[in-house]
Amino acid sequence: DTLWDLAIAEVEKRENPDGDDDVKPEEVREKSILFMGNKNGGKTTIILRCLEREESPKPTLALEYTFGRRARRPNTPKDVAHFWELGGGTSLVELIRIPISSHNIRSFAVVLVLDLSKPNELWITMESLLQVTRNHVNRVLTKLEKTNPEVAAEIKQRMWNDLQRDHPDYALVDPFPIPLVIIGSKYDIFNEFDSEIRKIISKTLRFVSHYHGASLVFTSKSEALLLKARALINHLAFGYDKSKSVSVDPSKPLFIPAGLDSMSQIGPPPASDSDLGKMRANTPLELWKKVFEKTFPPKSFCDLQDTKDPAQDSQYAEYEVDAMRAQKNQ
């Protein structure tokens, strides 16, 4: 026997000490989640709280990976959740091709963290990240249709699961191809904004979430709000029961699981009828974008690019590598 054979035998013996060969070991489930969103928007903090790790968040460089393990019941193997985090806001969005592949697309989900304290960056961050991710996922699914059509069909059907066929908005939405959660972070700062501004941001995010078939939750460093975000993420990561509670009051933090909102409850875009009449838009999403950007003109895309060169950061210093690099530059 090789060392690996002995190790496997030892693990099986520990998991099944009674030696009852008829008992099949429970299958370990693996899920993957990609966190992306505004730079310094609080993604790392949310991941650390989900994994119950008491450590200070550090700035994320490019694409970072960590994992968590939980057992569904006592004395069963632990399920594994892979957490990927994309740093740099929208500047490194091409890196999403690394974690999302045809091997794990069936058990993949996306968490988009938007900084509520920066409304002028909100739409452009959301739009560019969701667009690139959706295009990549669709490419993966197209490839999968050729090699494993059953799985591709199952994934495409599943994205409609949260919206019943008799839902009045069934024909008006375009669900994201894989599970999506939108988290509005820094609610404590957002809560100090003028009530009209809060209403516009809340209403717009409700529309965007509902349109993409996503869950929406507002959070901050407060433990009670983090618990709500954790409940949604634990559902994606470890299959915990989905929360059925809903909070749509604009004066309170929003919490709306996927499929539990409707266009009639959200209402029209927050603009006067004369303004809406002047806006030329081909789709409802475009109309909401124009209304939102009228109140919050977007920052130019260049402002959102990450200008700091991580190679100059002292925390990543490596003498031999840096000396060779200096020589090459010279």
Side-chain angles (χ1 to χ4, degrees):
D1 282 2
T2 66
L3 190 59
W4 290 115
D5 295 329
L6 294 168
I8 290 167
E10 177 64 26
V11 168
E12 283 173 354
K13 192 170 137 195
R14 283 187 197 172
E15 286 178 357
N16 196 1
D18 305 331
D20 186 355
D21 292 333
D22 296 335
V23 179
K24 284 190 178 168
E26 200 162 337
E27 191 187 352
V28 173
R29 285 190 297 206
E30 290 193 31
K31 298 280 182 76
S32 303
I33 300 179
L34 172 65
F35 285 76
M36 55 190 189
N38 290 87
K39 197 166 177 253
N40 303 323
K43 299 181 288 296
T44 311
T45 305
I46 292 166
I47 292 173
L48 290 172
R49 292 303 299 120
C50 282
L51 298 174
E52 293 171 11
R53 288 191 196 152
E54 299 292 334
E55 52 191 86
S56 307
K58 295 189 185 78
T60 303
L61 186 79
L63 185 68
E64 293 198 358
Y65 168 82
T66 186
F67 68 93
R69 298 171 76 219
R70 301 265 165 86
R72 272 168 271 171
R73 292 186 297 282
N75 305 322
T76 58
K78 290 183 174 177
D79 293 335
V80 181
H82 307 280
F83 289 88
W84 295 88
E85 184 187 355
L86 180 71
T90 54
S91 59
L92 303 166
V93 69
E94 292 304 319
L95 291 177
I96 61 150
R97 290 179 301 192
I98 295 166
I100 306 176
S101 70
S102 52
H103 301 298
N104 62 12
I105 189 85
R106 199 175 183 177
S107 58
F108 213 99
V110 171
V111 175
L112 175 64
V113 180
L114 297 171
D115 188 337
L116 295 173
S117 69
K118 296 177 183 166
N120 298 76
E121 290 178 22
L122 202 141
W123 193 284
I124 194 166
T125 301
M126 172 179 71
E127 187 177 58
S128 50
L129 289 172
L130 288 183
Q131 219 161 14
V132 174
T133 310
R134 189 189 272 264
N135 291 344
H136 174 64
V137 170
N138 285 337
R139 277 195 299 273
V140 171
L141 286 175
T142 306
K143 259 193 215 165
L144 198 61
E145 274 174 340
K146 292 171 186 162
T147 56
N148 198 336
E150 291 88 2
V151 171
E154 180 204 316
I155 292 168
K156 288 189 168 182
Q157 178 48 47
R158 202 177 55 193
M159 69 192 204
W160 288 97
N161 283 357
D162 287 318
L163 212 61
Q164 305 304 321
R165 274 195 179 280
D166 57 357
H167 194 290
D169 304 333
Y170 196 82
L172 304 172
V173 297
D174 185 12
F176 207 68
I178 53 178
L180 172 67
V181 169
I182 297 177
I183 295 179
S185 65
K186 304 194 181 174
Y187 177 78
D188 44 343
I189 302 171
F190 169 79
N191 203 26
E192 290 168 9
F193 289 177
D194 177 74
S195 65
E196 274 311 301
I197 293 218
R198 288 206 314 267
K199 201 178 281 183
I200 294 170
I201 297 170
S202 297
K203 218 174 173 187
T204 303
L205 284 179
R206 278 181 68 185
F207 171 80
V208 169
S209 299
H210 185 54
Y211 179 80
H212 288 296
S215 298
L216 176 65
V217 59
F218 284 2
T219 188
S220 69
K221 286 180 180 169
S222 112
E223 199 58 37
L225 289 186
L226 273 169
L227 274 174
K228 291 200 158 190
R230 264 176 67 186
L232 284 175
I233 293 164
N234 279 335
H235 169 68
L236 296 177
F238 301 109
Y240 286 20
D241 288 346
K242 204 171 172 184
S243 176
K244 288 281 191 288
S245 71
V246 177
S247 169
V248 294
D249 184 345
S251 64
K252 296 191 176 115
L254 296 181
F255 181 81
I256 312 168
L260 297 183
D261 211 341
S262 68
M263 300 290 186
S264 58
Q265 282 180 294
I266 297 165
S272 66
D273 290 346
S274 60
D275 280 351
L276 288 176
K278 289 176 203 157
M279 290 179 182
R280 296 188 177 280
N282 296 323
T283 62
L285 192 64
E286 213 177 297
L287 182 64
W288 278 83
K289 177 184 178 175
K290 287 187 170 177
V291 170
F292 187 80
E293 290 187 341
K294 192 169 185 280
T295 312
F296 307 107
K299 278 195 169 185
S300 77
F301 202 67
C302 304
D303 296 344
L304 299 177
Q305 295 290 338
D306 196 2
T307 48
K308 206 174 102 184
D309 180 1
Q312 306 304 322
D313 195 324
S314 58
Q315 70 170 317
Y316 304 113
E318 286 184 70
Y319 177 73
E320 284 89 350
V321 177
D322 297 340
M324 290 297 284
R325 175 131 186 204
Q327 192 180 335
K328 183 171 186 284
N329 290 346
Q330 194 180 346

